[in-house]
Amino acid sequence: MFTDRSVLITGGTGSFGKKFLQALLTCYNPRRVVVYSRDELKQFEMQKTKPFNDGRVRYFIGDVRDQDRLLRAFHNIDYVVHAAALKHVPACEYNPFEAIRTNVFGAENIISAAIDSGVEKVIALSTDKAANPINLYGATKLCSDKLFVAGNSYVGLGRTRFSVVRYGNVVGSRGSVIPFFKSLIKRGETELPVTDERMTRFWITLEQGVQFVIDSFMRMHGGEIFVPKIPSTHIIELAKAMLPHGNIKIVGIRPGEKLHETLISVDDARLTLDFESFYMIQPAFDWWDTRYVPGGKSCPEGFSYTSDNNEWWLTS
């Protein structure tokens, strides 16, 4: 579906953006791909390396807070992946207004620019922290999710459609626990910090996340929140696997941190359909037509999808 089409990636210099761009250039033949981000150094470094020094790639410096710049960047764009966000939980707690301006107002700007520019499809990346949020980052992403779902109501006779992809921690992404543990081990540390021995998390590889977004572009009608079925792990087991003969230090849960993550809450489950490899949360709007989604099974009463009640577990 991306062949001879134009694609824009907000936050395109991040872990997901680079892997998604690589997949587009390697497996498809897009007319052009626009990398949209604020960091000129990362863009400069990308332009010098393969496969990103491709003539089909354009590099736009811009902020999702700047709607005029978005309108310019969205000109003649067919598909948008919105990956830009402030994601660091403690930083968002300490800088709440900045998180809101980027994650919430930025989402509004993406929606408006996409509709005004006639973009065909937009997928926004969400997070497990958006389900039953207890920190500001999760709250802003929940708000963003709802804005993108509701954006379909603002399109009118236009062609633009919005959907959301929500998944858990990405293995090896910047700021995640695996690179953190690796850096400690490389430094020669013989002890790894774990906030709570009961803590669990969902896990997905970067490659799996990219493929799930591509698949979601192909199946979306607009308004859905797509959730992949992915494994869970105990963080303490992860630490033991990475440093088998080391020690574990329990340091206590940080502000805004959960023991277990949620991808689908009990309340969302009423609108959720179960497919073989993913769940789909349907929009609660009159315009939604259940004929869009043949083959899905309704989830049972009281269902939730959390990292501690998952049936699929990673082991060492």
Side-chain angles (χ1 to χ4, degrees):
M1 68 174 290
F2 299 109
T3 300
D4 201 34
R5 309 301 293 275
S6 295
V7 184
L8 182 142
I9 311 165
T10 71
T13 57
S15 302
F16 176 89
K18 292 170 72 173
K19 186 63 70 172
F20 186 80
L21 175 57
Q22 182 179 356
L24 287 182
L25 298 175
T26 304
C27 303
Y28 301 90
N29 186 25
R31 182 186 307 122
R32 66 183 173 117
V33 184
V34 176
V35 173
Y36 186 93
S37 72
R38 298 182 302 176
D39 196 321
E40 73 277 13
L41 176 59
K42 291 177 183 175
Q43 289 193 9
F44 174 71
E45 292 172 342
M46 278 183 69
Q47 291 178 63
K48 296 189 298 181
T49 60
K50 293 182 178 181
F52 309 122
N53 57 348
D54 189 296
R56 294 168 293 177
V57 183
R58 307 286 189 271
Y59 291 89
F60 271 55
I61 294 174
D63 196 312
V64 295
R65 301 180 184 189
D66 186 344
Q67 190 169 12
D68 289 338
R69 183 60 172 162
L70 283 171
L71 283 168
R72 175 59 58 196
F74 279 28
H75 185 64
N76 288 333
I77 292 292
D78 299 300
Y79 306 124
V80 171
V81 179
H82 178 44
L86 292 182
K87 303 171 183 176
H88 192 257
V89 171
C92 289
E93 294 295 310
Y94 190 70
N95 303 277
F97 300 115
E98 298 305 303
I100 291 168
R101 289 186 181 107
T102 295
N103 296 352
V104 180
F105 297 158
E108 179 187 8
N109 290 337
I110 294 287
I111 293 165
S112 297
I115 294 173
D116 292 345
S117 302
V119 171
E120 185 175 337
K121 291 183 177 181
V122 179
I123 283 186
L125 300 191
S126 185
T127 169
D128 47 12
K129 294 172 179 60
N132 292 341
I134 65 166
N135 54 55
L136 188 75
Y137 168 55
T140 60
K141 293 302 287 183
L142 173 61
C143 186
S144 171
D145 292 355
K146 290 186 174 295
L147 288 174
F148 278 103
V149 171
N152 293 277
S153 300
Y154 287 83
V155 175
L157 298 177
R159 68 171 185 166
T160 309
R161 297 294 179 267
F162 302 94
S163 292
V164 174
V165 163
R166 177 189 292 171
Y167 50 65
N169 296 275
V170 177
V171 177
S173 64
R174 289 178 303 182
S176 66
V177 69
I178 291 179
F180 174 60
F181 282 169
K182 281 184 175 180
S183 67
L184 293 178
I185 294 169
K186 186 177 180 180
R187 216 165 62 198
E189 298 288 345
T190 59
E191 183 178 74
L192 293 180
V194 173
T195 53
D196 192 290
E197 61 185 8
R198 299 165 293 171
M199 182 169 288
T200 63
R201 287 295 182 267
F202 288 107
W203 290 102
I204 189 171
T205 67
L206 203 49
E207 291 80 6
Q208 289 170 334
V210 166
Q211 188 58 52
F212 189 71
V213 170
I214 290 172
D215 293 341
S216 297
F217 264 113
M218 296 179 180
R219 65 171 66 103
M220 67 176 280
H221 291 275
E224 310 97 328
I225 298 178
F226 295 105
V227 178
K229 294 182 179 179
I230 53 178
S232 295
T233 189
H234 287 91
I235 298 300
I236 196 168
E237 295 299 325
L238 173 66
K240 291 176 180 177
M242 294 185 67
L243 192 63
H245 305 296
N247 297 318
I248 304 297
K249 180 181 180 181
I250 304 300
V251 297
I253 294 180
R254 298 172 299 175
E257 193 172 38
K258 290 182 178 180
L259 265 181
H260 313 291
E261 293 288 7
T262 301
L263 279 170
I264 302 173
S265 68
V266 172
D267 294 310
D268 280 336
R270 299 187 184 97
L271 297 168
T272 300
L273 295 178
D274 183 348
F275 294 83
E276 183 177 356
S277 61
F278 67 95
Y279 297 101
M280 190 196 73
I281 305 173
Q282 303 174 92
F285 288 102
D286 293 338
W287 46 260
W288 177 254
D289 192 334
T290 55
R291 290 177 297 178
Y292 291 153
V293 285
K297 299 183 298 182
S298 296
C299 292
E301 186 69 27
F303 172 81
S304 64
Y305 187 34
T306 63
S307 59
D308 62 323
N309 74 5
N310 198 358
E311 297 178 358
W312 184 7
W313 287 84
L314 295 176
T315 62
S316 57

